Amino acid sequence: MRPYRPANPSDPRRRRLPSAHTVLLALGALVLAPVACGDDPTGPNGTTDPDSDGDEPYAHDLAPGASAHDLLADDTFEHLIVQIQYIEGAEPTDEGLTHLEEFLEARLNKPGGIELRKDDAPIASGSGPTYGAADVRDLEEEHRTVYTSGDTLAAYLVFLDGEHEQENVLGIAYNNTSTAIFGEKIREHTGGTFEPDRSMVEGTVANHEFGHIMGLVNNGTEMQEPHQDEDNGHHCDVDSCLMYFSVRTTDFLDNLVGSDEPPDLDRSCLDDLAANGGK
């Protein structure tokens, strides 16, 4: 995996609008809650300031799935930067980030490259031992520094030290380019006897949440044939798929024991992504 470069702390931050849709990946019950649905003259790092031609900044405060085509295709954005931040004590494993990088490279058309840019230092905790979606948005607003500019699309992933306010949540896709992973909860269920490897679970959760901001299932990326498990939100009805609802359960963790790779997308999900500009 290519070396990570820290984000530029001098980049300005933008204010965020109210939310309209939240997707939660949980060990137990699925949680779906409402959320809100130009060239940077300073260089390629990406900010939210209007570009030098006066264009409006890219909106990073829409619902998950709203930027699905932009993530998947290369007609507007040829390069992707994923800024990765973490609370002290919740730093992700390099192996877990490699699983995410390989997933994105396999699915996204980004001829200019995909860069996972992890900050060198942790950020301060925003709300304490538990986080709601609003807390995570506030944390992002305070600390995120890399935004979309020119032909470079920016996404955001933060690893949190505490737990979600609802029990057993592992990750959330809470905005169109933003995801979070509850690293402390993952650590509780990994690394022991008959438990999966921590990096495998980190990678699987990250891949699942990025699947949601890529528009899966039927949430910004149109289905080519019916395969949505409507009883379980925007998930796939194929039980071996990365986007199957039980990926959020203890059965999912048991299935990862001894695995070398996170579960992959099934054929229906792959066809959906390809039809929306992905590979």
Side-chain angles (χ1 to χ4, degrees), residues 14-31:
R14 71 183 299 241
R15 299 297 299 175
R16 183 164 283 101
L17 299 176
S19 60
H21 178 71
T22 298
V23 182
L24 301 178
L25 176 64
L27 286 171
L30 172 68
V31 182

Side-chain angles (χ1 to χ4, degrees), residues 192-197 200 251-260:
T193 304
F194 305 118
E195 290 182 336
D197 179 72
M200 181 65 58
D251 287 342
F252 147 71
L253 293 176
D254 291 341
N255 291 341
L256 283 182
V257 175
S259 297
D260 294 326

